[in-house]
Amino acid sequence: MITVVISVSSLHKREERRVDEVKEEKRVKKYPNSPLFKNWDAALTEEEQMEAEELFQRYGYNTFLSNRLPLDRELPETRHYRCLEREYPKDLPTISVVLIYLDEALSIIKRAIYSIINRTPAHLLREIILVDDHSSNGDLKEPLNAFVSLIHVTRPGLVKQVRHSSQLGLSQTRISGWKVAGGDVVAILDAHIEVNKGWAEPLLARIKEDHTVVLSPVFDKVSCYDLKLTNYKPSAQGFDWAMWCKYEAFLPQWYARNDETLPGKSPSIMGVLVADRVFFGEIGALDPGMKMYGGENVEFGLRVWSCGGSIEVIPCSKIAHLERAHKPYMPELKYLMQRNALRVAEVWLDDYKHNVNIAWRLPLQNHGIDIGDVSERKKLREKLKCKPFQWYLDNVYTSLKPFNILGYGNLQNDMNTDACVDQGPVPGHTPILYQCHSYTSQACYYHSSGKIYIGEIQSNMDQTNRCLVDPGSGELPQLHECKKAKKTGLNMHWDFKQGSAIQNRETKRCLEVKDIELVMQECSGQNWRITNVVKEF
């Protein structure tokens, strides 16, 4: 018999090496190009990395981490200190909270529910309504039912569930939740949220004062990579001419009051909204003809303001909103967003509806997109005696400026009809001719002022858009931000008629084609055409 004697120190050294090897294994990044691991520094084994990456691609956020965080985790206090000093009436309206989802991670939904139960006074919370827009995720069936049953042990009937038999989209899903609601106020939220302390009272107090005001809390951002919260300051919610929502500054009057806790008027609303339940129905709820995603919140905001209500952001109400890195359940949204935007335009924008076509670079006529039947929505507009869109521009959304575009689309020279004017390499200042395609780099716009924009266009055009200029010397035309071009006195105004020359007003030189290049030279009679004409020019 052979006896092997190993010293204690040798065992310790061997164990330390094993631990070091495990740590080293965890440091190996199997997915070095993954957005998740570029933004989330976690020591995982290869198997854990594979699981985390698969879940990230499936849901668009870090579900691996979400599944391991406490469901009732604490959120940092992000309210202004004055909010903490405010007192609210005891006899506030009751609230029904609607959570809508499609193939959401179960832990995300559970955390949303826990936050609502833990941070909403029990006597104010009428119910939580879960609306499933036909999810295929098995976790959202029996496992979710079991979780709801567990809640009902202490809060019987608190959580209600609605499941669609087919996917209907955001508008119909929100409508389904509202129809089930029984509270005085309905809050329609995404399921990937966590409400913060004191979120409900300032909303309910404001609606108690005025039942025609539709409210939005302030959204703090939850990172899709590490699920950490970033405090967001209050801001208004607007949109561009593509009917896509964006953040805006409040009106100057709000800032002049020097109190960040006061409600601020907002021209529109994001998807999350809080409203008097009866008023929401009286004003027409949401347009059921909007499909899947995009534009439904803009349509609702226009209708609220134009038809007797108003919209405000409530700074003392904070909700943490998880932003996805991508929308895995609907990778191609462009067509639906175009379709819904055109539907909004047809019902609400009056003489300005062509701005939507310009924003999406769609023909004014025969664009080939079926927007559905809008006759009932037009009847609703008449029934509610809604104000014209011009009133909305003059009194509500004064910073939304019409494009005032005369022509838009591809800009082509008769000398080479297979090539289009292109913004060229970015960064860079030299436009080029390039084989025609449908991408943004070849989007050209002729403005009523004589400016020619090339590339992506923004509603506040002189701030960010790029203007074609004649430098006055040399052969090549240039592109510069319009604001900079105006400030430095660059030659940025052009005379152009469809099917004729493009001539700079200051230098009198023409934009022409020479040896398959764009050049500035003495006019030789070359002619240009742009795809779509809004007004004859």
Side-chain angles (χ1 to χ4, degrees):
M1 182 176 181
I2 301 174
T3 303
V4 178
V5 179
I6 304 176
S7 69
V8 173
S9 61
S10 297
L11 284 172
H12 284 168
K13 289 179 181 179
R14 190 176 301 175
E15 180 63 22
E16 287 173 357
R17 284 198 301 269
R18 191 188 71 80
V19 171
D20 289 341
E21 287 170 0
V22 171
K23 287 182 178 179
E24 184 61 33
E25 179 188 10
K26 285 176 176 282
R27 292 191 188 102
V28 174
K29 295 286 183 70
K30 187 175 180 64
Y31 299 96
N33 296 321
S34 165
L36 173 61
F37 293 114
K38 283 183 177 179
N39 295 279
W40 180 45
D41 186 17
L44 305 177
T45 65
E46 287 196 13
E47 290 77 15
E48 289 171 333
Q49 289 178 55
M50 290 175 65
E51 181 185 353
E53 178 67 14
E54 188 277 328
L55 288 170
F56 182 75
Q57 293 301 326
R58 181 178 176 185
Y59 292 104
Y61 46 68
N62 194 341
T63 306
F64 181 90
L65 176 59
S66 174
N67 293 344
R68 287 156 177 78
L69 288 177
L71 295 178
D72 58 348
R73 70 167 181 166
E74 287 291 322
L75 293 177
E77 178 62 79
T78 61
R79 290 173 295 173
H80 192 277
Y81 73 91
R82 288 181 182 172
C83 294
L84 309 182
E85 300 169 353
R86 289 187 178 274
E87 295 183 358
Y88 300 99
K90 293 182 178 180
D91 57 338
L92 291 173
T94 60
I95 188 168
S96 297
V97 181
V98 176
L99 298 178
I100 65 169
Y101 59 92
L102 170 64
D103 285 328
E104 203 81 66
L106 178 59
S107 62
I108 292 293
I109 296 177
K110 286 182 176 180
R111 193 169 291 108
I113 293 172
Y114 264 123
S115 74
I116 294 165
I117 294 174
N118 292 339
R119 295 165 189 154
T120 310
H123 70 284
L124 299 179
L125 182 59
R126 172 69 178 266
E127 63 214 343
I128 300 171
I129 303 167
L130 306 179
V131 187
D132 184 340
D133 194 22
H134 195 56
S135 295
S136 58
N137 182 0
D139 285 351
L140 301 183
K141 296 180 173 59
E142 288 308 314
L144 179 57
N145 293 342
F147 176 71
V148 170
S149 297
L150 186 62
I151 292 173
H152 287 169
V153 172
T154 54
R155 299 287 295 271
L158 179 67
V159 181
K160 298 178 180 178
Q161 292 179 270
V162 178
R163 287 190 168 104
H164 290 169
S165 58
S166 61
Q167 189 177 344
L168 301 180
L170 288 177
S171 284
Q172 287 282 13
T173 305
R174 289 167 177 150
I175 291 170
S176 294
W178 164 69
K179 286 182 177 179
V180 173
D184 302 314
V185 172
V186 60
I188 303 177
L189 314 177
D190 297 326
H192 43 273
I193 57 91
E194 296 164 76
V195 301
N196 217 323
K197 297 174 184 176
W199 78 282
E201 293 91 327
L203 299 168
L204 298 175
R206 183 69 186 100
I207 290 177
K208 178 180 172 65
E209 293 174 343
D210 181 356
H211 78 284
T212 69
V213 64
V214 175
L215 304 178
S216 171
V218 174
F219 308 115
D220 287 333
K221 176 185 175 181
V222 176
S223 167
C224 60
Y225 303 114
D226 59 14
L227 303 188
K228 292 181 179 178
L229 184 141
T230 300
N231 179 24
Y232 272 21
K233 293 291 186 180
S235 62
Q237 299 163 14
F239 55 89
D240 58 22
W241 287 107
M243 303 289 103
W244 188 244
C245 53
K246 63 177 184 176
Y247 287 113
E248 294 270 6
F250 288 120
L251 293 174
Q253 299 92 300
W254 185 83
Y255 298 97
R257 293 189 294 181
N258 198 30
D259 186 348
E260 292 184 20
T261 69
L262 295 176
K265 298 293 184 184
S266 180
S268 189
I269 198 160
M270 303 288 188
V272 169
L273 63 94
V274 182
D276 179 273
R277 179 177 56 83
V278 175
F279 177 73
F280 184 72
E282 290 173 346
I283 207 167
L286 295 169
D287 180 1
M290 303 292 275
K291 290 200 173 177
M292 296 304 170
Y293 183 90
E296 75 289 333
N297 52 322
V298 175
E299 189 274 343
F300 180 69
L302 285 169
R303 180 156 35 88
V304 169
W305 273 110
S306 303
C307 307
S310 61
I311 298 172
E312 292 178 0
V313 174
I314 305 299
C316 288
S317 176
K318 282 296 196 91
I319 291 183
H321 181 265
L322 175 57
E323 294 189 5
R324 295 182 192 268
H326 53 272
K327 293 183 172 20
Y329 54 86
M330 194 178 293
E332 181 48 62
L333 294 171
K334 182 178 178 180
Y335 174 82
L336 291 172
M337 291 169 62
Q338 289 176 338
R339 184 255 183 209
N340 289 346
L342 290 169
R343 184 176 174 91
V344 176
E346 184 61 32
V347 177
W348 295 102
L349 301 195
D350 302 332
D351 294 338
Y352 294 89
K353 62 183 181 181
H354 66 270
N355 284 274
V356 174
N357 298 69
I358 294 171
W360 285 106
R361 303 196 309 280
L362 295 169
L364 295 178
Q365 306 294 334
N366 304 319
H367 47 64
I369 297 177
D370 181 8
I371 66 171
D373 184 5
V374 296
S375 58
E376 290 301 316
R377 303 312 286 182
K378 288 185 174 182
K379 288 179 182 177
L380 176 66
R381 185 179 181 184
E382 293 178 5
K383 175 186 174 183
L384 295 174
K385 296 180 173 55
C386 303
K387 296 179 175 67
F389 186 67
Q390 185 66 59
W391 174 89
Y392 177 81
L393 287 180
D394 293 341
N395 295 277
V396 180
Y397 204 176
T398 56
S399 61
L400 181 66
K401 303 299 182 184
F403 280 137
N404 293 322
I405 295 296
L406 302 179
Y408 62 98
N410 289 340
L411 188 59
Q412 296 170 282
N413 189 290
D414 289 348
M415 298 284 290
N416 187 348
T417 57
D418 292 330
C420 293
V421 174
D422 190 293
Q423 68 180 3
V426 177
H429 298 293
T430 306
I432 62 174
L433 274 183
Y434 195 79
Q435 183 177 356
C436 294
H437 53 67
S438 59
Y439 298 113
T440 305
S441 64
Q442 292 183 355
C444 296
Y445 307 86
Y446 184 52
H447 190 262
S448 59
S449 66
K451 299 171 188 171
I452 295 178
Y453 306 109
I454 302 177
E456 186 174 2
I457 191 171
Q458 301 290 337
S459 298
N460 197 346
M461 290 179 290
D462 282 342
Q463 295 293 327
T464 55
N465 290 343
R466 305 180 81 201
C467 279
L468 179 70
V469 302
D470 179 0
S473 61
E475 273 197 333
L476 297 179
Q478 294 180 359
L479 273 179
H480 292 279
E481 284 192 7
C482 302
K483 184 179 181 181
K484 178 181 177 182
K486 181 179 180 180
K487 185 176 181 179
T488 55
L490 294 174
N491 306 309
M492 56 189 288
H493 295 95
W494 306 82
D495 286 324
F496 172 40
K497 290 186 178 180
Q498 182 78 314
S500 299
I502 297 180
Q503 185 178 37
N504 191 274
R505 292 178 184 174
E506 287 81 18
T507 68
K508 302 304 179 185
R509 297 201 298 177
C510 282
L511 179 71
E512 296 197 341
V513 177
K514 177 183 176 183
D515 298 329
I516 321 179
E517 282 190 331
L518 284 178
V519 297
M520 297 304 311
Q521 62 184 19
E522 185 177 344
C523 303
S524 66
Q526 292 185 20
N527 298 320
W528 294 85
R529 301 190 69 85
I530 197 163
T531 312
N532 303 294
V533 175
V534 180
K535 297 179 182 178
E536 292 298 327
F537 59 92

